[in-house]
Amino acid sequence: YVKCQAGISAKQVACKIASTHVTICIRGRDGETGEGKQLIDHDTVQTVKPGESFWTLDSKQGVISITLQKASEGQTWSGVFRGHAAIDPQLQDNEQKRLLLERFQLEHPGFDFSGAEVNGSCPDPSQFMGGFR
C-alpha cells in the first residue's frame, strides 16, 4: 500500500500498471491531467500481469492498495520494486515453503497438507518437478 492524502476521490488517482513498471500520481481535485503529486514510479522486480492487477482507494484512511498478479505462478520475489529493500531471506524461504505446499494441494486434492511442513532447503516451487501446469 501507499499513503496518500485522506479525502481524495478515485478520479484523482492516476495509476498505471505495466508488465514491469508501476506509476501512481494524484491529480487536482477535478481530475485534471496537469502536474500532480507522484507517489510511485518504480520498476518491478519481476513481470506482472497488468490486466489482472488492480488498485483500490480507502479515501477515509488515505491509503491506496495495489495488488500485482505475478506473471509466473509460484515464483517468489526478493522484493516488489527494483532498488528497494529486499525481503528478509527467512520470510522468502517461508513463502517458498507455503507455495510448495499450496502446489502439492492443487496437484493432489484428495490429500490434506494443512498440517504439513517442509524441512530443510526448499526448491523453487515454480521450477520444482517441471513447474506449474
Side-chain angles (χ1 to χ4, degrees):
Y1 71 91
V2 64
K3 295 290 273 175
C4 64
Q5 181 181 352
I8 66 169
S9 71
K11 286 183 178 183
Q12 292 176 262
V13 178
C15 180
K16 181 171 177 11
I17 301 173
S19 61
T20 58
H21 195 85
V22 176
T23 306
I24 298 179
C25 292
I26 304 299
R27 298 183 281 218
R29 285 256 177 235
D30 60 359
E32 78 255 1
T33 57
E35 281 290 315
K37 181 179 179 187
Q38 190 152 12
L39 301 178
I40 292 181
D41 186 13
H42 300 299
D43 290 328
T44 56
V45 172
Q46 298 290 334
T47 306
V48 301
K49 296 178 181 178
E52 296 178 26
S53 300
F54 59 93
W55 62 272
T56 59
L57 170 66
D58 181 341
S59 61
K60 289 181 182 176
Q61 297 293 320
V63 173
I64 299 171
S65 298
I66 309 159
T67 302
L68 301 173
Q69 180 64 42
K70 296 175 182 178
S72 299
E73 189 176 359
Q75 184 179 53
T76 55
W77 291 6
S78 60
V80 178
F81 297 116
R82 293 191 189 281
H84 288 237
I87 296 172
D88 175 19
Q90 181 65 41
L91 289 175
Q92 190 172 5
D93 188 54
N94 288 343
E95 181 64 7
Q96 279 187 313
K97 290 176 181 179
R98 187 191 69 75
L99 287 170
L100 189 63
L101 289 172
E102 184 178 299
R103 178 175 163 201
F104 286 157
Q105 186 66 56
L106 289 171
E107 292 180 1
H108 307 284
F111 292 95
D112 180 14
F113 291 96
S114 60
E117 291 183 22
V118 176
N119 295 319
S121 179
C122 182
D124 182 351
S126 67
Q127 303 298 320
F128 183 67
M129 295 187 65
F132 283 88
R133 292 181 190 92

